[in-house]
Amino acid sequence: MTVSTNRPRIGIIGTGAIGGFYGVMLARAGFDVHFLLRSEFSAVAENGLRIDSAVHGQLHLNPVQAYASAEDLPPCDWLLVGAKATANAELAPLIAKVAAPGARVLLLQNGLGVEEQLRPLLPDSLHLLGGLCFICVHRTGPGAVVHQALGSVNLGYHSGPLFDDEGARQALVEEGAALFRLAGIESRAMANLEQARWQKLVWNVPYNGLSVLLRASTTPLMSDASSRELVQALMAEVVQGAQACGHVLPAGYAEHLFKVTEKMPDYWPSMYHDFIHRRALELEAIYVRPLAAALEAGCDLPKIRALYQALDFIDVHNR
Amino acid sequence: MTVSTNRPRIGIIGTGAIGGFYGVMLARAGFDVHFLLRSEFSAVAENGLRIDSAVHGQLHLNPVQAYASAEDLPPCDWLLVGAKATANAELAPLIAKVAAPGARVLLLQNGLGVEEQLRPLLPDSLHLLGGLCFICVHRTGPGAVVHQALGSVNLGYHSGPLFDDEGARQALVEEGAALFRLAGIESRAMANLEQARWQKLVWNVPYNGLSVLLRASTTPLMSDASSRELVQALMAEVVQGAQACGHVLPAGYAEHLFKVTEKMPDYWPSMYHDFIHRRALELEAIYVRPLAAALEAGCDLPKIRALYQALDFIDVHNR
């Protein structure tokens, strides 16, 4: 392995709210962080990145090691991909280009099957990991991110040279979690990425979808008896789907996330931002694949299916 | 019985789209029809009632036997109630006031339990019937109704002096159906009102709710693969609920309504009109009571429940 483990070089692919927040936190902790940008390049190169965080205060990274083209990035040991899952296919060649030999590619995305989609497009020598971010952040303008609450990241190994070596594989995941912890971010290495993804779906399936369907943020959703029941019923179906697929989630996990959301500041999930900006909704990763996986395991999830069908109608008519 | 069966006097309570259309059709056929109005009284008294019908052409009833107060109506043999089911409790004293002895009260309303709600508020001597209208009509202004398609009415006996005499009861329902047929309207006497109401729910549950949830009329709902599947799934749950409650609907009934809707002109169901005018949605009759009846019979209807919970959230935040 040629990756430098002392001071790994980190590349951020997709500097939206997620990439911007974690990138700035890592740079602030002394890591060598490089940002690949598209439409926001000039604004960030000129004014830097600003995080208005309710937890960490006002963070301003300036100058930023910002690039408009993947050709210009130095080879990176860790690549954090915070772009929409819908963009993975077009990102693959860029990732391959900026990856150092033996690099770790970490997909900070929600839903199921995002690594499966990207894997065949990447060189076999790269490690592919998934990360589930429990965080309330949103982009407010070019290079400007508001961080409202939370921030933890759960990591898991998906595929790559260490797939058959459980010990080494897990050590690499721990190495990733350690990076985040050094930057002041709670982070856990998960033994099973697929299970971690199902756990995160317990939050994403109800709140992302209902924010679009009901044009409502978390506070009104948590203040109305009918939407509370609907959230709980959808969470219960995700837990059921996970179980059918062989992932027994921690006891009381749905209730835990329900209570966490009650205490959160009012939050508009990312799918709502995609909706109002008439971007494609991440329905494939958050609804279609979990429904298909559960169904293949003999488990129908009727309320999630109905929610998906309604969202698909909305998505098609929204673009 | 003092009801005149030769030329019964008909009172229309609630002259919206439904009351206006059937009232004008009956008046046009030579019946003695009296209209009780509220906000539209002056407009109708002055300009009459206009039906712009794709089936029957331009109909204009003028002068109209219109009244602003129940005190002024002559005693009626038949009372057609086309008001929202949500208004039944306040209408009961008016109905009792204008009813001739032995009068027949016909509720032209959707959903379950609308007669049960009204019955205890009416004198025992009155016959209470329910009517299910398969019709595309909407009000466009004071005394103005657009009739786009269909028009049939299925009638059933609910309660009253003839409850224990099946033959006489059914004869009375046939008498009602004959009134409509004399006015050129398809009408059938149903042996079982509850079953007729469940049959009508096969249409109302998907289309009324989805029109509000997805802000969509029938043509887009029938043109998208996801919403088509959702409509069919909701229809299947209604059929299942009916069956659990002891009503085996005719084979292929849901498919029949699905195809009828495909051929209909583009139509906004009445619940959508209630939604955009910020009026209470008829959720109790169309969702809450069918869900409760099915659940009591041991049958959960998960997609209808999810749809109801979403609509309830929308309704609460819409008023």
Side-chain angles (χ1 to χ4, degrees), chain B residues 47-113:
Chain B
N47 305 314
L49 284 163
R50 286 183 186 275
I51 315 291
D52 175 5
S53 170
V55 182
H56 309 284
Q58 301 286 336
L59 312 179
H60 189 199
L61 182 66
N62 197 19
V64 172
Q65 299 186 108
Y67 307 85
S69 162
E71 311 281 345
D72 303 330
L73 260 83
C76 294
D77 306 313
W78 280 88
L79 287 163
L80 275 50
V81 183
K84 291 278 142 199
T86 44
N88 283 348
E90 44 177 312
L91 289 180
L94 307 184
I95 294 169
K97 198 174 302 255
V98 302
R104 299 86 164 89
V105 178
L106 173 60
L107 292 193
L108 297 174
Q109 296 173 335
N110 289 315
L112 289 194

Side-chain angles (χ1 to χ4, degrees), chain B residues 195-212:
Chain B
Q195 170 157 341
R197 292 206 161 276
W198 274 103
Q199 280 189 212
K200 186 66 201 292
L201 285 171
V202 176
W203 198 92
N204 288 121
V205 163
Y207 294 105
N208 271 288
L210 293 181
S211 74
V212 172

Side-chain angles (χ1 to χ4, degrees), chain B residues 101-133:
Chain B
R104 299 86 164 89
V105 178
L106 173 60
L107 292 193
L108 297 174
Q109 296 173 335
N110 289 315
L112 289 194
V114 293
E115 293 87 2
E116 283 76 0
Q117 191 193 20
L118 188 61
R119 181 73 257 185
L121 307 173
L122 293 182
D124 292 343
S125 64
L126 300 186
H127 302 281
L128 185 56
L129 294 84
L132 287 309
C133 307

Side-chain angles (χ1 to χ4, degrees), chain A residues 5-82:
Chain A
T5 47
N6 291 335
R7 191 175 180 261
R9 187 186 291 141
I10 300 172
I12 308 286
I13 312 290
T15 309
I18 291 283
F21 173 77
Y22 290 109
V24 169
M25 290 295 284
L26 288 160
R28 203 168 146 258
F31 288 101
D32 180 24
V33 185
H34 300 258
F35 297 81
L36 178 61
L37 296 131
R38 267 195 269 198
S39 58
E40 308 203 348
F41 170 74
S42 336
V44 171
E46 199 169 323
N47 305 313
L49 283 164
R50 284 183 187 277
I51 314 291
D52 174 5
S53 170
V55 182
H56 308 283
Q58 303 286 337
L59 312 181
H60 188 198
L61 182 66
N62 198 13
V64 172
Q65 300 186 109
Y67 307 85
S69 162
E71 313 282 345
D72 303 331
L73 261 85
C76 294
D77 305 312
W78 280 87
L79 287 162
L80 275 50
V81 182

Side-chain angles (χ1 to χ4, degrees), chain A residues 210 213-217 220-221 224-227 229-231 233 237 300-303 305-314 316-317, chain B residues 210 213-217 220-221 224-227 229-231 233 237 300-303 305-314 316-317:
Chain A
L210 293 181
L213 193 72
L214 302 178
R215 278 77 155 164
S217 53
L221 288 176
D224 175 274
S226 284
S227 51
E229 277 177 37
L230 184 50
V231 165
E237 283 194 358
D300 186 31
L301 307 171
K303 290 178 186 188
R305 187 171 301 281
L307 174 58
Y308 159 68
Q309 288 165 333
L311 291 169
D312 187 47
F313 180 93
I314 290 172
V316 165
H317 289 79
Chain B
L210 293 181
L213 192 72
L214 302 177
R215 278 74 155 164
S217 52
L221 289 176
D224 176 275
S226 284
S227 51
E229 276 176 37
L230 184 50
V231 165
E237 283 195 358
D300 187 30
L301 306 172
K303 291 179 187 188
R305 186 170 303 279
L307 175 58
Y308 159 68
Q309 288 165 334
L311 291 170
D312 188 48
F313 180 94
I314 291 173
V316 165
H317 290 77

